[in-house]
Amino acid sequence: MPSHAELSLEAGLVALKQGNYQTAIAQLEPVASTQKTGNAGLQAKVGLVMAYARSGQVSKAIALCQNLLESPNPQVQEWAQRALEHLQKRQKRQNTSSQNSATGFVALDNSNQNAAKSSQQAKPTVVKATTATNTSSTIPTGGFKNPNVETPIGPSSFIGVNRSQAKSFNLYWRHAGRAKVWQPLHKLNLIPLKLLAAGTFIALFWVMREMLRLAMGLTNQILVKLPYVNPLPILYRDPTVGLLMVLAIVMALSPWLLDWLLKKFYGQTELSKEILNGYSRETIRVLQRSCQQRGWQFPKLRILPIAAPIALTYGNLARNARIVVSQGLLEQLADDEIAVIYASQFGQIVHRDFVVMSVVLLVTMIVYRLYHQISEWGSKYQGVWRWPAIIVASFAYGIWCLLTGTTLWLSKLRLYYSDRLASEITGNPNALIRALLKLSIGVAADIAKQQQTSWQLESLNILAPVSYQQSISLGSVAGHIPFTSLLMWENFNPYRRWFTLNNTHPLIGDRIQRLCKIARHWHLEPELHLTTEQALRGKPQPFLLQIAPWLGIPLGFLFAGLIWLLWQLAFAMKILNLKWIYEDWSFVTGCLLIGFSIGMVIRMNAFFPDIQPANVQTDDRLPNLLANPSAMPIDSINVCLAGRLLGRQGVGNCLAQDLILQTNIGLVKLHHIPWLGQSINPQDWIGRQITVVGWFRRGATPWIDIQSLQAQNGKTINSAHPIWSTVLAVAAQAWGAYIFLRG
């Protein structure tokens, strides 16, 4: 049975990983004072150094580092020496920053909007920010980042403990080398990427045109029925030409329009080469060399005062392209990792896919701002004004999702191309592997710290290097299971790519596997030794059951064709005269709906099996559930997990789109469908300890379909997943039958 010291050490390391630094300090200080020798005491002291530093108590961190220098363990001494150098430099910068606060750049917490606005008035002129809010953006499981030493520092990076003893900090960066001389990779065919970019623009135009036509038609229908008001003739016109002209103008002005939006609402400012050079000297060299080779101007550099690590590129030509990174990215990545992220962003300029993505970002950002503003306004009011705000905010969010959906294929494919070019530019695919994983860890840590998915992360997600949805579980559980195990599903599940159809990003494991192949092609040891086995042989029956509703649609079409042939034959033979009904091809729609409904019914029992208390999985099984390479959503694993409920509060979460469970192991996305007349909503329990019972589903983004939520006071919220699935199936069946019989 674990001793009290071991339990305190474990609790302290978990709190440190989750960003609860005061809790970590309270747990680790007694262990460090009582366990003066042995691994437990060393781990506690290292954890305290990190907690002190991240909570702004740099002097205490320095004093403890000086104490660790006297350790007989040479690895501890080496770690303490590096940490001490880093902390002393940071303390010096902090003193300099306080003396020049009028002109110094300070990285801001996402929630501090007033400070974000004030930062727009002063351009960054000094190096890394050192406020207490900023220090928490450091990777919680990787330790400090010394700008002169690439090796990260953490409680388990030097102490000879097994993974079960240090499961909260078992991240290990191999720091595999880079190529010093390398041959260019074979030239890729860019035609698919260009065709997909054109298709994305067409899809965006078509969706916007149909929504505009619907709005114009509904407006005139309302005006016709109102007294004393005539319909507007302009609303009967075809909006095609006008919309094309608007999109052309948007594309031409996108760099400057996005500059304005990002500056006003996100606090974006210019990033000088000098400041960037302080974080990564290699980045400047890489960009200068790449631009000189192509005869381009140096891209404009921007920075967002956001703790979450994020990067994006926008513009319409190489000469007006902007590469934007967050303060969190610069703080959490090493020199070569920052360089390779910039190289990947530069690759999007080379491939020119950033042009269409800039247009999509501009359009979706405006709609998202409308949703965000209405949500904030509606959350301030109760009573009669709250419901209109909920309706309008939900409608705006739905439109944002629909417009974002036009980029799903392009946003995935472009990252494969940019990863490849970034590796070729830098000769360092291993740095990109580390960067992608650290970005996921940083995003998950930001969500845990903010206790919600920030609106900045969600609105900029389509251009981010990694998806925040995929990072929720991957980044938070990383400290409890090796990456090679955690990424097995993303590498070997035979149906994994089918489950990314509705995702904006490809699987991180798939991207890393391709980067490992590049490393081996250049005779480099890859950062991760992923298993080289072939993808698992999948059993088709569970997968067919998984997609049964969608499989019912083409089967419904075949059924409609068969019925049409039989009716034509019966009419020709004068056996049955129903041609007057079925000359209208709308009956095909009825067959499609019936097919979808039958598929829903077939899948129902397997998708929502009865939850037996004896069969439920608990928190400690979460890493195994995530690592199972053969798992699929249809497996519907019964779980009972305890933890804190995270998510946005108020009108902004009226669709329950941002519900996350924070367990002792990591974060898991929650799906909730309310039942009519329910007096309590999950949003009312955000920030509280709860117990979730439901069905765990392993997909590209792991999630739990909630059956029930229970608070500590015994109150319960039930989720109506099976009921609404039944309602949907019955409604589709009835509607399809009506269309089928009416013709």
Side-chain angles (χ1 to χ4, degrees), residues 413-450:
L413 183 63
R414 66 198 290 262
L415 291 176
Y416 288 126
Y417 280 81
S418 62
D419 287 352
R420 193 175 187 276
L421 186 58
S423 301
E424 193 168 14
I425 289 175
T426 62
N428 200 353
N430 287 319
L432 185 52
I433 293 174
R434 292 192 298 272
L436 294 177
L437 294 173
K438 288 184 179 181
L439 291 179
S440 295
I441 294 171
V443 168
D446 182 74
I447 292 174
K449 179 176 180 295
Q450 299 282 336

Side-chain angles (χ1 to χ4, degrees), residues 650-726:
V651 174
N653 204 11
C654 53
L655 299 176
Q657 66 267 36
D658 185 37
L659 291 179
I660 301 169
L661 180 68
Q662 184 184 32
T663 71
N664 289 332
I665 304 297
L667 307 178
V668 188
K669 182 75 173 172
L670 301 179
H671 286 184
H672 169 70
I673 300 180
W675 185 238
L676 300 177
Q678 196 167 264
S679 59
I680 305 177
N681 294 312
Q683 295 91 317
D684 302 328
W685 289 357
I686 287 175
R688 297 170 61 179
Q689 292 292 322
I690 61 166
T691 300
V692 176
V693 177
W695 301 273
F696 177 85
R697 309 196 189 280
R698 183 51 162 114
T701 301
W703 82 95
I704 296 174
D705 279 337
I706 299 172
Q707 184 194 61
S708 65
L709 299 175
Q710 186 174 23
Q712 290 180 322
N713 58 10
K715 291 184 178 180
T716 301
I717 298 175
N718 294 315
S719 192
H721 283 285
I723 297 175
W724 280 112
S725 295
T726 304

Side-chain angles (χ1 to χ4, degrees), residues 503-544:
N503 281 35
T504 55
H505 292 65
L507 294 169
I508 292 179
D510 193 21
R511 296 168 68 183
I512 289 176
Q513 194 173 47
R514 293 169 184 245
L515 292 169
C516 288
K517 289 181 180 179
I518 294 175
R520 286 190 290 268
H521 175 73
W522 287 335
H523 306 289
L524 298 173
E525 180 186 13
E527 180 68 25
L528 294 180
H529 286 304
L530 300 176
T531 308
T532 56
E533 62 186 89
Q534 297 295 321
L536 299 173
R537 287 184 175 273
K539 297 179 179 179
Q541 184 176 356
F543 180 69
L544 293 177

Side-chain angles (χ1 to χ4, degrees), residues 7-17 20 23-25 27-28 169:
L7 292 175
S8 297
L9 175 63
E10 172 106 6
L13 295 180
V14 170
L16 178 60
K17 179 176 181 290
N20 301 324
T23 302
I25 291 171
Q27 293 285 350
L28 294 175
F169 286 90

Side-chain angles (χ1 to χ4, degrees), residues 174-431:
R174 188 185 307 277
H175 281 277
R178 62 191 302 165
K180 300 189 182 303
V181 179
W182 64 96
Q183 293 294 326
L185 301 171
H186 69 274
K187 191 173 182 180
L188 280 180
N189 183 6
L190 295 178
I191 292 179
L193 185 65
K194 295 183 181 300
L195 290 177
L196 203 51
T200 299
F201 182 82
I202 294 171
L204 176 68
F205 163 74
W206 183 84
V207 169
M208 293 181 67
R209 187 188 66 177
E210 294 307 307
M211 288 193 300
L212 189 58
R213 282 178 172 175
L214 179 62
M216 293 166 65
L218 289 175
T219 302
N220 266 352
Q221 287 183 17
I222 294 173
L223 293 178
V224 166
K225 295 184 178 182
L226 290 176
Y228 313 113
V229 180
N230 294 322
L232 301 175
I234 193 173
L235 297 183
Y236 287 118
R237 296 180 182 175
D238 187 354
T240 300
V241 176
L243 182 58
L244 279 174
M245 293 177 62
V246 170
L247 287 178
I249 294 173
V250 166
M251 182 178 291
L253 300 179
S254 62
W256 299 277
L257 293 175
L258 284 169
D259 279 346
W260 181 79
L261 286 172
L262 289 170
K263 180 179 180 180
K264 181 174 179 61
F265 299 110
Y266 295 76
Q268 176 177 282
T269 56
E270 293 183 4
L271 176 64
S272 68
K273 294 181 183 179
E274 292 74 18
I275 293 178
L276 179 57
N277 191 62
Y279 289 99
S280 173
R281 295 182 178 181
E282 183 181 348
T283 298
I284 300 298
R285 296 196 301 268
V286 165
L287 292 178
Q288 286 178 339
R289 183 177 68 248
S290 300
C291 290
Q292 289 172 358
Q293 290 173 350
R294 293 167 176 82
W296 291 356
Q297 298 177 7
F298 197 88
K300 296 176 175 61
L301 305 178
R302 301 286 188 268
I303 188 168
L304 295 172
I306 299 174
I310 192 172
L312 57 105
T313 300
Y314 62 89
N316 52 31
L317 295 171
R319 64 172 176 267
N320 58 35
R322 280 87 159 136
I323 300 180
V324 186
V325 298
S326 67
Q327 182 68 24
L329 183 143
L330 296 179
E331 291 287 347
Q332 296 178 26
L333 301 188
D335 185 338
D336 57 342
E337 296 157 2
I338 295 173
V340 78
I341 288 295
Y342 267 94
S344 69
Q345 298 300 308
F346 186 81
Q348 296 167 13
I349 302 174
V350 173
H351 298 143
R352 301 190 183 279
D353 54 79
F354 79 118
V355 179
V356 173
M357 294 301 293
S358 299
V359 175
V360 177
L361 177 64
L362 181 56
V363 173
T364 56
M365 189 182 291
I366 293 172
V367 178
Y368 194 92
R369 280 301 308 171
L370 177 65
Y371 149 75
H372 182 64
Q373 192 63 46
I374 294 173
S375 299
E376 286 190 337
W377 174 78
S379 298
K380 296 178 182 177
Y381 299 94
Q382 299 293 332
V384 66
W385 291 108
R386 188 175 179 86
W387 277 105
I390 289 176
I391 294 172
V392 176
S394 301
F395 182 71
Y397 190 81
I399 293 177
W400 176 79
C401 291
L402 189 61
L403 293 172
T404 301
T406 61
T407 70
L408 292 182
W409 286 357
L410 177 61
S411 61
K412 284 193 284 282
L413 183 63
R414 66 198 290 262
L415 291 176
Y416 288 126
Y417 280 81
S418 62
D419 287 352
R420 193 175 187 276
L421 186 58
S423 301
E424 193 168 14
I425 289 175
T426 62
N428 200 353
N430 287 319

